Amino acid sequence: MSEIEIEVVLVEPKYDGNIGAVARVMKNFGFKSLTLVSPCEIGDFGRAMASHARDILENARIISSIDEIEADILVGTTSISGRDDADHLRYPCLTPEELIRGLKGVKGRVAILFGREDFGLFNEELRKCHILVKILTNPEYPTLNLSHAVAIVLYEMSKMRGRGERKVTRKENIERLMRHLDELFEELSYPKYKKDKTLMIVYRIIGRASLTTREYMTLMGIIRRIRRRLKSLKEEGS
Amino acid sequence: MSEIEIEVVLVEPKYDGNIGAVARVMKNFGFKSLTLVSPCEIGDFGRAMASHARDILENARIISSIDEIEADILVGTTSISGRDDADHLRYPCLTPEELIRGLKGVKGRVAILFGREDFGLFNEELRKCHILVKILTNPEYPTLNLSHAVAIVLYEMSKMRGRGERKVTRKENIERLMRHLDELFEELSYPKYKKDKTLMIVYRIIGRASLTTREYMTLMGIIRRIRRRLKSLKEEGS
C-alpha cells in the first residue's frame, strides 16, 4: 500500500446517481474517503448506483466550501485546458498519468476535486488547486460524465499501488523452447536459411505473447510429443 | 488516426442507462462503432445518459449472437481472472495497458466485448475471445459498473492512437490454423480432454500475439511440414 492518502471531493454534484456511481468506483479501486461539497440530496437511485459501496456514501463527509478540505495537495480536474502560458489559470494541465508520476513517492493527503456536472470547477476554485489535471478527450465532445472522470483518475491512481498478477516465464525457458524447436526443425529437414527465418518468426510471436509458465510447458509438451512420434515412426520404418 | 478500428460490443446489457453512458464515453474518446447483442429496450433515460452521443446509440448495430461480430480480433473483458495457470480459460488476463501494448501498430478490426451487468460474459463466449482483459480492482468489490469498465478501456485505447503498420491476419485464418492444429493433435493421439485444453492454451497465445498474415502462413507451414513428415513415415512403415 502506498503512503499517499487520497480523498475524492465532489463539488456541488447535482445528480445522486452520479454520487452513487462515484462511491461504487471508489470501492472498486480501494479508495474510501469521499467528501461532498453542498451536494444534492441522495435518494434511492443514488443508493442503488452505489450498490455494494453504500458504506462509502454513508461515511461521506459533507462540507459547504472547498476551504474546509483538510489535505496537503489539492488537485483540480477540468475538461478545458489552457492552450498556452497566456492562460496561467489552466496551464499546464497534467494528464492523469503525469499526475501519478508526479505524486510517486509522496507521503501525505491528496484531495482530488471534481466539479459540477454542468459548469465544472469555478475559476476561484481552480485558483486554489496546486495541480490541474485534464483527461485528454475528443474536442468534439470533451465533457466526460462525472463518475467516468472519477473512474479514470482513480484507475490511474490505483496503478501507483503494487502490481503484477501475471507471472511470465523466464528467459531461460524461452531459450530452451527455441532450442527444442530448432532440433525439431532439423528433424523435419528444413533448409538452413529457411529454418533460421522460421525460428525468428516464431520467436517474435512468442515474445509478443509473453508466455506464462503453464503456456511454456504446454508448448514444450507439444514439441516433445511431435518429436517422440517422429522418432518412433522412424524406428518402426527401419 | 490509427488504422485500428475499434468496435465496442455490449452483450445483453440490461439497463438502458448503461447503454447511454457507454455511447457518451465512446464519443468522448472518439470511438463510433457500437454493437449491441440482444440489448434491453432503450428508453428516455438511456437517451438522456447518452447526452450528445445519441447518434452513436441510433447507429448501433443490433445482433443476436457474438458469432455475428465482424472483427479479426475479439477481446473479452472479465472481472474474474484465473488465479493461475490451472484456469486456462481465464488465464492469463491482460491489463488494459498490456492490451494496448499488444495491439500497438496493429492494422485491423478489434471488437471489445463487455458482458452482462450481473453475469459478465459466459464461458462459451470467453472461449471465443482471442485476448482476455481484466481491470485490476479491489478483490473486496471487483465488479465495475458496465460503463465504467468501458470508460477505462477506451481511455487506455485512446492513448494508442497513432499509425497502424502491423496488419493482422483475418479471423478465418486463425480458425483454419486451429483446425489444422486440431487434426495434428489427433494424429499425435492426444487424449480428448488434454487436446481441448492444449488447443485453448495455444489459441490464447496466438490471440495475444495478434498474428500478421506472414506469421500465420509461417505457422501453417510448420504444421503442414510436420503432418507431411508424419504421413510419409507412416507410409514407409506400413
Side-chain angles (χ1 to χ4, degrees):
Chain A
M1 262 300 198
S2 161
E3 296 209 67
I4 197 167
E5 277 173 83
I6 303 290
E7 178 182 348
V8 173
V9 181
L10 304 184
V11 179
E12 297 190 359
K14 284 195 171 143
Y15 303 108
D16 70 337
N18 283 337
I19 304 175
V22 165
R24 173 170 176 173
V25 78
M26 285 178 64
K27 194 157 188 173
N28 288 149
F29 287 115
F31 296 95
K32 282 176 186 163
S33 208
L34 175 63
T35 298
L36 303 170
V37 184
S38 310
C40 62
E41 215 174 299
I42 299 173
D44 289 343
F45 185 61
R47 278 187 292 272
M49 286 302 283
S51 194
H52 299 291
R54 291 196 194 177
D55 53 327
I56 289 180
L57 269 195
E58 278 154 22
N59 295 323
R61 187 175 162 234
I62 295 183
I63 59 179
S64 59
S65 148
I66 67 165
D67 295 331
E68 296 167 52
I69 296 170
E70 292 160 0
D72 306 307
I73 299 177
L74 300 196
V75 178
T77 55
T78 171
S79 59
I80 312 154
S81 60
R83 224 159 309 174
D84 53 45
D85 309 37
D87 186 356
H88 62 284
L89 181 62
R90 291 173 196 266
Y91 187 87
C93 273
L94 305 187
T95 64
E97 270 180 312
E98 290 169 333
L99 173 70
I100 63 162
R101 224 175 292 144
L103 290 179
K104 208 147 204 169
V106 156
K107 198 172 152 179
R109 202 172 169 82
V110 176
I112 308 177
L113 282 66
F114 295 88
R116 300 149 189 89
E117 286 93 340
D118 42 7
F119 297 114
L121 293 170
F122 295 148
N123 284 350
E124 65 264 30
E125 292 162 343
L126 288 174
R127 230 182 291 277
K128 289 176 184 163
C129 291
H130 303 99
I131 302 175
L132 292 189
V133 167
K134 182 190 171 347
I135 298 167
L136 275 175
T137 44
N138 181 7
E140 260 182 62
Y141 187 20
T143 335
L144 289 162
N145 163 285
L146 173 57
S147 77
H148 288 170
V150 176
I152 288 165
V153 172
L154 295 187
Y155 159 73
E156 282 285 4
M157 308 280 316
S158 75
K159 289 185 191 170
M160 280 198 305
R161 304 211 181 112
R163 284 246 326 280
E165 265 191 345
R166 182 153 63 94
K167 202 167 170 316
V168 295
T169 195
R170 297 165 56 203
K171 205 170 67 174
E172 300 89 85
N173 285 342
I174 301 297
E175 282 159 18
R176 207 157 147 241
L177 180 66
M178 294 312 297
R179 270 202 308 279
H180 278 250
L181 213 50
D182 191 333
E183 286 161 18
L184 168 63
F185 287 180
E186 286 284 344
E187 289 155 17
L188 293 169
S189 341
Y190 264 85
K192 169 104 176 78
Y193 77 96
K194 195 166 180 177
K195 191 192 75 182
D196 291 348
K197 212 187 268 182
T198 307
L199 281 170
M200 190 69 240
I201 290 171
V202 174
Y203 187 66
R204 285 274 174 275
I205 297 171
I206 285 174
R208 283 210 310 282
S210 28
L211 299 190
T212 66
T213 305
R214 168 86 187 275
E215 288 173 337
Y216 154 73
M217 291 196 303
T218 301
L219 293 184
M220 282 295 273
I222 296 170
I223 296 169
R224 250 190 236 112
R225 200 176 261 260
I226 295 168
R227 296 183 68 190
R228 252 198 328 253
R229 176 60 59 97
L230 288 171
K231 194 166 170 242
S232 75
L233 283 171
K234 239 180 234 170
E235 283 164 3
E236 271 174 44
S238 61
Chain B
M1 258 304 194
S2 161
E3 298 209 60
I4 194 169
E5 280 172 79
I6 302 290
E7 179 180 348
V8 173
V9 181
L10 304 184
V11 180
E12 297 189 1
K14 283 194 174 145
Y15 303 109
D16 70 337
N18 283 337
I19 303 175
V22 165
R24 173 170 176 173
V25 79
M26 284 179 65
K27 194 156 186 173
N28 288 150
F29 287 115
F31 296 95
K32 282 176 185 164
S33 199
L34 174 62
T35 297
L36 304 170
V37 184
S38 312
C40 62
E41 217 175 297
I42 300 173
D44 289 342
F45 185 61
R47 277 186 293 271
M49 289 300 284
S51 195
H52 299 291
R54 291 195 195 177
D55 52 327
I56 289 180
L57 268 196
E58 278 153 22
N59 295 322
R61 186 176 163 234
I62 297 182
I63 57 178
S64 59
S65 150
I66 67 166
D67 295 330
E68 296 167 53
I69 296 170
E70 292 161 0
D72 304 307
I73 299 178
L74 302 194
V75 178
T77 55
T78 171
S79 60
I80 313 153
S81 60
R83 221 160 310 172
D84 53 41
D85 306 33
D87 186 354
H88 63 284
L89 181 62
R90 290 172 198 268
Y91 189 88
C93 274
L94 305 188
T95 65
E97 270 180 313
E98 291 169 330
L99 172 70
I100 63 162
R101 221 175 295 143
L103 290 180
K104 207 150 202 164
V106 155
K107 196 171 154 183
R109 202 172 169 83
V110 177
I112 309 177
L113 282 67
F114 296 88
R116 301 147 189 87
E117 285 93 339
D118 42 8
F119 296 114
L121 293 170
F122 296 147
N123 284 351
E124 65 264 29
E125 291 162 343
L126 288 174
R127 229 182 290 277
K128 289 176 184 163
C129 293
H130 303 97
I131 303 177
L132 291 188
V133 166
K134 182 191 173 339
I135 298 167
L136 277 175
T137 44
N138 180 8
E140 258 183 63
Y141 187 21
T143 335
L144 289 163
N145 163 284
L146 173 57
S147 76
H148 287 169
V150 177
I152 288 165
V153 171
L154 294 188
Y155 159 74
E156 282 285 5
M157 307 280 317
S158 76
K159 292 184 190 171
M160 193 175 63
R161 299 251 164 81
R163 273 195 18 255
E165 279 158 5
R166 190 152 59 90
K167 198 165 176 322
V168 296
T169 196
R170 298 165 56 203
K171 203 168 71 174
E172 298 89 83
N173 284 343
I174 301 297
E175 280 159 18
R176 211 159 144 239
L177 180 68
M178 295 311 297
R179 271 201 310 279
H180 279 249
L181 212 51
D182 191 332
E183 287 162 18
L184 168 63
F185 288 180
E186 286 286 345
E187 289 156 16
L188 293 168
S189 341
Y190 265 85
K192 169 104 175 82
Y193 78 96
K194 196 167 179 179
K195 192 192 74 180
D196 292 348
K197 215 186 265 184
T198 306
L199 281 172
M200 188 73 239
I201 290 171
V202 175
Y203 186 66
R204 286 270 181 276
I205 297 172
I206 286 175
R208 284 209 311 283
S210 20
L211 299 190
T212 64
T213 305
R214 165 84 188 277
E215 289 171 337
Y216 155 73
M217 291 196 304
T218 302
L219 293 184
M220 282 295 273
I222 297 170
I223 297 169
R224 253 191 233 112
R225 199 176 261 262
I226 295 168
R227 296 182 68 191
R228 254 199 325 253
R229 175 61 58 98
L230 289 171
K231 198 167 166 242
S232 74
L233 284 170
K234 235 180 237 168
E235 282 166 2
E236 271 174 43
S238 63

